[in-house]
Amino acid sequence: MALPVLSSSAVKFRRVLAQFPQELSLAFAYGSGVFRQAGASAEHGETNMLDFVFAVDDAVTWHMMNLSKNSSHYSFLKFFGPKKISTIQRYGAGIYYNTLVPCNGRMIKYGVISTDTLIEDLLHWKTLYVAGRLQKPVKILAQNENSRLQAALVSNLKSAVTASFLMLPESFSEEDLYLQIAGLSYSGDFRMIIGEDKSKVQNIVKPNVSHFQKLYSPILQDCPQVVYKHHLGRLEASVDKSPEGQFAQLMALPKTLQQKITALVNPPGKNRDVEEILLQVAHDPDCGFVVHQGISGIVRSSSLVQSAKTILTAGAKKSVIYSLRKLYKMTKGGLKKTS
């Protein structure tokens, strides 16, 4: 199955991409500057910062070329050279962000991640940082013929559906499923406590259900537990909540999530294998909660380190400005809910 891409020929994206070295295995744009979110006007979307991720096969070479073209994008770390930048990139979620970069009359933020690191996150949910972004609609701007990456992109979407089935009740609506999927990468993220609009997940899903359908309808149509009536835009799901059904789903989860669940359930000193522990979880009435806790554990650690890294990669001044912008959006979202 080929991953459905929401490609864009928009001039603004082509012009941004032209500013960077072209050795990219994948480039995509995401966020409120690309897809309208609930509660935001069309004009607001035109002024929001544009967010990009660039996956590259050789991070040192890519940063070397980008430093030559765009040294002003980098903080003081540029003086340490591309090797040091690539070393810092590997910490946290394995992505290096340059933020608040003026480009063609807009502010942009772009992250650089190695192709191998991205594939590992997509397959195993090591950090769920970029994998989580790719569980939501994005605009694919460039993609090479890397079959491993293509397979990993599809695997990530299937894993998002499986994990969501475990956390949802036996029956649920299509929108319920997309809300659950969109919330996976925010579980345990400290920025949802301070720094993000509390209605962020709903704001992402509600105006973009058709985009979620483009991503997930091929997977749902092949799923035996779901009757997906695409022509009606409706999903009828009845997930198998028997211990056998839940065990099969737990065994299909990404490796890092299985390890997190094992660590939560297995008492210290006991040396049981993963399959035995997951069988125990499958019989637990709180199976969905345990899965949620496992996901939260992955996201919490990666988001903390990645946010701390921002002070280095963005520099003190940009870090303060970026944080204040996030706080403003959070406060604005809270005021809208209470008004």
Side-chain angles (χ1 to χ4, degrees), residues 153-322:
L153 287 162
V154 177
S155 175
N156 179 46
L157 298 182
K158 289 180 177 178
S159 295
V161 170
T162 302
S164 296
F165 280 178
L166 283 160
M167 290 186 285
L168 285 163
E170 187 175 352
S171 299
F172 49 85
S173 70
E174 186 173 13
E175 188 173 292
D176 289 338
L177 175 62
Y178 298 147
L179 285 167
Q180 189 71 61
I181 288 171
L184 292 175
S185 61
Y186 296 115
S187 304
D189 191 336
F190 77 98
R191 292 171 301 176
M192 294 303 288
I193 301 169
I194 180 165
E196 290 286 6
D197 182 353
K198 300 299 183 294
S199 306
K200 188 175 181 74
V201 174
Q202 284 194 16
N203 293 345
I204 289 169
V205 173
K206 287 188 179 296
N208 295 299
V209 168
S210 62
H211 293 311
F212 277 91
Q213 287 173 333
K214 285 178 186 176
L215 271 183
Y216 288 100
S217 62
I219 292 167
L220 295 173
Q221 284 168 352
D222 288 341
C223 182
Q225 301 189 42
V226 169
V227 177
Y228 188 66
K229 300 182 177 178
H230 183 65
H231 61 291
L232 298 175
R234 194 168 74 242
L235 173 149
E236 292 177 5
S238 182
V239 176
D240 184 359
K241 289 291 178 180
S242 70
E244 295 77 18
Q246 294 195 138
F247 178 63
Q249 290 168 353
L250 287 164
M251 289 297 290
L253 291 174
K255 182 176 69 177
T256 306
L257 179 52
Q258 289 181 340
Q259 290 168 346
K260 285 285 182 183
I261 291 169
T262 301
L264 283 168
V265 175
N266 201 30
K270 286 240 180 179
N271 203 12
R272 297 184 296 165
D273 62 31
V274 172
E275 190 170 334
E276 185 185 349
I277 293 163
L278 294 182
L279 185 59
Q280 176 190 328
V281 174
H283 284 80
D284 191 332
D286 293 325
C287 174
F289 178 72
V290 175
V291 173
H292 179 268
Q293 290 295 97
I295 292 170
S296 296
I298 295 170
V299 174
R300 188 179 301 112
S301 56
S302 64
S303 66
L304 277 168
V305 178
Q306 192 64 36
S307 294
K309 197 168 78 173
T310 301
I311 299 168
L312 288 175
T313 59
K317 184 180 177 182
K318 281 187 177 181
S319 295
V320 170
I321 294 169
Y322 184 68

Side-chain angles (χ1 to χ4, degrees), residues 58 63 72 89 119-120 133 137 150 168 170 211 282 330:
D58 184 341
H63 282 298
S72 63
Q89 178 178 307
I119 289 172
E120 185 178 17
R133 278 156 178 65
Q150 182 66 37
L168 285 163
E170 187 175 352
H211 293 311
M330 180 190 74

